């Protein structure tokens, strides 16, 4: 199944089911918001499956309008972002003169801003170009309620939906905040999420081992920047859920991110963020030629399945400096 949230003037919007081709939509029966749907998933799922099947055959249904779409969850109880791609860590460690150790056996994860997720299209506002504005293409999952202590072997059953995320970062502020030993705040503004969220079965063979095994296509100022595949996660989403739920229950609607999608064959497939591209350039002796984003720059993210069908719709933003 596929879902979106349409702006209706309320903070959480109105949840709609979306046809398999992404062309049509209809208000979900039995729930007003995606959060309400997630909290009542088991009770509503049989009716939702029937509604989805009927919508797929209803060519006269309301057209899906991405300009009215909000993030599937315009706000969430928790946003927990991992860093699960070892190539990304290795490249940044080498470029920054750190010990090159990759990822150890403990997933990296931080708790980020969750009271707001940007709509998928429009402007993304930032205080200053000097902050090192960067996009980060990643995948995420939205989970049902997960009990504390859940192990990876049992975690996949709680994955309800999959999303495409642009996890904005302000790179100049990251090292300053990390040096305090107290975590990130200023360097992590609101994320953007693609307009359509899908159940795992919609990915077909693109969903394996609790990983999105599909290319994430990034275009920066009209030029292809990356088409990295989510298959190379060192820790799958099942393992990230185990990590997140070690000492807490996870409420339904918790979003867990993969971190920047990165591949060992970066010379061919590119990157999903500017920092990694600059790290590759630095290692090659070019001292980070690719600039961070400036006022008016654009980034677009999109994912297609193995049949070329758009899965999540696009994230498309133009940077606007408001400081």
């Amino acid at each position: 199944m596929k879902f979106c949230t349409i702006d209706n003037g309320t903070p959480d919007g109105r949840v709609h089911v979306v046809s398999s081709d992404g062309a049509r939509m209809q208000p979900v029966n039995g729930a007003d918001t995606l959060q309400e749907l997630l909290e009542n998933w088991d009770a509503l799922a049989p009716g939702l499956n029937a509604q989805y099947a009927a919508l797929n055959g209803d060519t006269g249904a309301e057209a899906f309008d991405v300009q009215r779409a909000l993030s599937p969850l315009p706000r969430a109880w928790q946003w927990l972002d991992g860093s699960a791609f070892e190539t990304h860590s290795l490249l940044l460690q080498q470029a920054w003169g750190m010990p090159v150790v990759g990822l150890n056996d403990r997933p990296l994860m931080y708790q980020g801003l969750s009271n707001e997720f940007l709509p998928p299209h429009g402007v993304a506002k930032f205080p200053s170009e000097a902050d090192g504005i960067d996009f980060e293409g990643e995948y995420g999952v939205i989970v049902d309620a997960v009990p504390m202590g859940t192990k990876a072997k049992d975690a996949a059953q709680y994955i309800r939906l999959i999303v495409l995320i642009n996890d904005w970062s302000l790179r100049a502020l990251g090292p300053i905040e990390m040096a305090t030993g107290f975590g990130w705040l200023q360097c992590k503004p609101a994320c953007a999420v693609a307009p359509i969220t899908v159940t795992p079965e919609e990915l077909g063979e693109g969903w394996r081992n609790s990983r999105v095994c599909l290319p994430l296509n990034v275009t920066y100022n009209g030029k292809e920047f990356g088409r990295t595949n989510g298959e190379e996660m060192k820790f799958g989403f099942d393992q990230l859920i185990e990590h997140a739920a070690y000492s807490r229950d996870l409420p339904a609607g918790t979003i867990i991110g993969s971190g920047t999608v990165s591949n060992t064959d970066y010379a061919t497939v590119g990157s999903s963020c500017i920092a990694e591209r600059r790290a590759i350039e630095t290692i090659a002796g070019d001292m980070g030629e690719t600039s961070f984003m400036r006022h008016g720059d654009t980034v677009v993210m999109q994912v297609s399945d193995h049949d070329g069908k758009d899965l999540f719709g696009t994230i498309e933003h133009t940077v606007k400096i408001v400081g």
Side-chain angles (χ1 to χ4, degrees):
M1 292 180 285
K2 295 186 174 185
F3 302 95
C4 71
T5 293
I6 297 299
D7 189 358
N8 66 350
T10 67
D12 298 302
R14 179 68 165 92
V15 65
H16 286 59
V17 62
V18 180
S19 60
S20 61
D21 61 3
R24 300 174 305 284
M25 64 182 187
Q26 186 179 81
V28 163
N29 295 329
D32 291 331
T33 67
L34 184 57
Q35 181 64 38
E36 183 182 358
L37 169 56
L38 289 161
E39 291 173 354
N40 297 279
W41 187 274
D42 289 339
L44 294 174
L48 285 172
N49 280 302
Q51 185 179 5
Y52 182 57
L55 177 61
N56 287 333
D58 183 2
T59 58
E62 180 182 4
F64 170 65
D65 183 359
V66 70
Q67 298 304 322
R68 296 170 55 205
L70 302 173
S71 161
L73 277 175
R75 54 183 178 172
W77 288 109
Q78 283 193 111
W79 157 232
L80 306 175
D81 195 16
S83 182
F85 290 88
E86 189 156 51
T87 295
H88 181 71
S89 293
L90 289 168
L91 289 169
L92 267 59
Q93 288 167 358
Q94 184 176 353
W96 294 350
M98 302 167 62
V100 182
V101 297
L103 297 173
N104 59 27
D105 293 331
R106 180 183 177 85
L108 300 176
M109 186 173 288
Y110 76 94
Q111 184 162 340
L113 185 158
S114 63
N115 65 287
E116 176 189 15
F117 290 89
L118 299 180
H121 285 205
V123 298
K125 300 176 182 179
F126 301 99
S128 172
E129 291 180 356
D131 291 336
I133 302 165
D134 197 1
F135 51 81
E136 291 190 63
E138 59 180 274
Y139 292 114
V141 297
I142 305 177
V143 299
D144 201 340
V146 179
M148 183 176 71
T150 293
K151 300 301 183 184
K153 65 182 178 62
D154 302 313
Q157 66 181 305
Y158 298 108
I159 297 172
R160 292 288 176 250
L161 297 166
I162 302 168
V163 289
L164 169 65
I165 301 168
N166 179 4
D167 177 31
W168 289 103
S169 291
L170 302 179
R171 297 295 189 181
L173 303 179
I176 297 171
E177 294 193 304
M178 286 189 287
T180 69
F182 210 64
W184 288 335
L185 181 73
Q186 292 180 332
C187 74
K188 283 297 185 180
C191 300
V193 183
I196 298 173
T197 181
V198 308
T199 51
E201 63 267 18
E202 289 290 328
L203 273 62
E205 288 301 309
W207 178 251
R208 299 191 301 276
N209 301 318
S210 294
R211 293 162 169 82
V212 181
C213 304
L214 294 167
L216 195 166
N217 303 302
V218 180
T219 303
Y220 179 28
N221 286 335
K223 298 180 180 179
E224 183 182 79
F225 192 86
R227 42 187 172 87
T228 53
N229 196 301
E231 188 169 12
E232 290 187 28
M233 289 175 76
K234 179 173 181 178
F235 305 102
F237 282 110
D238 51 351
Q239 294 167 288
L240 295 183
I241 291 170
E242 176 182 334
H243 181 78
Y246 173 78
S247 60
R248 64 176 80 178
D249 296 326
L250 304 181
T254 296
I255 307 174
I256 299 177
S258 67
T260 305
V261 180
S262 180
N263 293 167
T264 53
D265 189 18
Y266 54 81
T268 300
V269 301
S271 299
S272 297
C273 72
I274 297 172
E276 182 174 301
R277 175 69 61 84
R278 288 169 60 88
I280 294 166
E281 292 167 347
T282 298
I283 293 167
D286 295 330
M287 299 308 293
E289 288 186 347
T290 302
S291 65
F292 289 116
M293 299 188 77
R294 301 187 176 96
H295 180 83
D297 284 351
T298 62
V299 61
V300 179
M301 298 182 183
Q302 181 272 341
V303 176
S304 298
D305 65 14
H306 292 303
D307 296 323
K309 182 172 63 177
D310 188 2
L311 280 169
F312 304 103
T314 59
I315 303 174
E316 184 170 355
H317 283 108
T318 300
V319 166
K320 181 176 181 180
I321 302 301
V322 295

